[in-house]
């Protein structure tokens, strides 16, 4: 897939919903060790609501449709992680602007906006064991790839971004938690990946799979 229009958004969000549902148990178990244990169910419920929302927005500009999906996510899962993800979607959609569709450049802009939305809402920065530690390296890799090769295709950019997110998740094993219950149990976090970052990676993995056509 070379470009994503608002008509493709239901499929894109369905891929995300399926991914979160498939990993809900795993995310919940990870979260139970250092958090409240509800991350998996939260992500499954939140992203599970988006395909239907997107189907009602197929006539909208794609960026605006993503922004509205982010607003819906915020209302469905009013939690810390829900707010971070929804802020990411809303700011990412805003970054796409009035573009008719999302190609490689717009996808890179979306990821940059997604990361910026997390930073703004969460008051966090890279290296603090949050979802940002998956999204930020993905955004950086997408931008650097396009800087090196402006003609890079959407599938190539999406694949590179997903790999960077995966690498970012692995890097959280060496990070010390700063926020939430995990910060109280810092010793228990040593050597383990951050569950929020993992959820961020799973989201970009779902997007990448949809873009690749698999």
């Amino acid at each position: 897939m070379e470009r994503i229009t608002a008509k493709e958004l239901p499929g894109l969000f369905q891929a995300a919903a399926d991914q979160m549902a498939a990993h809900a148990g795993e995310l919940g178990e990870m979260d139970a060790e250092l958090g409240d244990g509800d991350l998996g169910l939260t992500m499954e419920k939140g992203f599970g609501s988006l395909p239907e929302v997107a189907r009602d927005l197929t006539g909208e500009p794609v960026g605006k449709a993503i922004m509205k999906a982010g607003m819906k996510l915020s209302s469905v899962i009013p939690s810390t992680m829900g707010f971070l993800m929804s802020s990411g979607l809303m700011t990412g959609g805003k970054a796409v602007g009035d573009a008719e569709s999302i190609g490689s450049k717009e996808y890179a802009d979306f990821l940059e906006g997604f990361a910026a939305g997390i930073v703004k809402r969460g008051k966090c920065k890279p290296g603090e064991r949050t979802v940002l530690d998956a999204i930020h390296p993905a955004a950086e890799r997408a931008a650097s790839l396009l800087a090196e090769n402006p003609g890079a295709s959407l599938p190539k950019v999406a694949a590179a971004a997903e790999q960077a997110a995966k690498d970012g998740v692995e890097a959280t094993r060496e990070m010390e938690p700063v926020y939430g219950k995990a910060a109280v149990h810092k010793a228990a976090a040593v050597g383990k990946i951050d569950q929020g970052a993992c959820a961020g990676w799973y989201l970009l993995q779902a997007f990448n799979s949809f873009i690749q056509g698999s």
Side-chain angles (χ1 to χ4, degrees), residues 182-198:
V184 180
H185 306 287
K186 293 180 180 180
V190 176
K192 297 176 181 177
I193 62 174
D194 179 69
Q195 65 271 29
C198 192

Side-chain angles (χ1 to χ4, degrees), residues 45-141:
K45 179 182 179 181
F47 284 96
S49 71
L50 297 189
E52 182 177 355
V53 172
R55 282 191 284 272
D56 293 333
L57 298 172
T58 55
E60 299 270 11
V62 63
K64 187 174 182 179
I66 293 173
M67 291 176 66
K68 288 186 176 181
M71 294 171 64
K72 176 66 174 181
L73 189 67
S74 179
S75 67
V76 172
I77 47 172
S79 63
T80 299
M81 189 62 169
F83 291 144
L84 293 178
M85 286 288 203
S86 62
S87 182
L89 283 177
M90 286 187 282
T91 311
K94 184 177 181 180
V96 172
D98 295 328
E100 291 295 321
S101 60
I102 295 175
S104 56
K105 180 186 182 303
E106 291 81 12
Y107 192 69
D109 291 341
F110 165 75
L111 292 176
E112 183 178 2
F114 202 117
I118 293 172
V119 170
K120 182 178 180 179
R121 188 60 185 262
K123 308 300 181 185
C124 56
K125 62 180 184 290
E128 295 182 332
R129 267 185 77 97
T130 71
V131 61
L132 185 63
D133 290 305
I135 305 300
H136 180 260
E140 282 199 325
R141 181 60 186 131

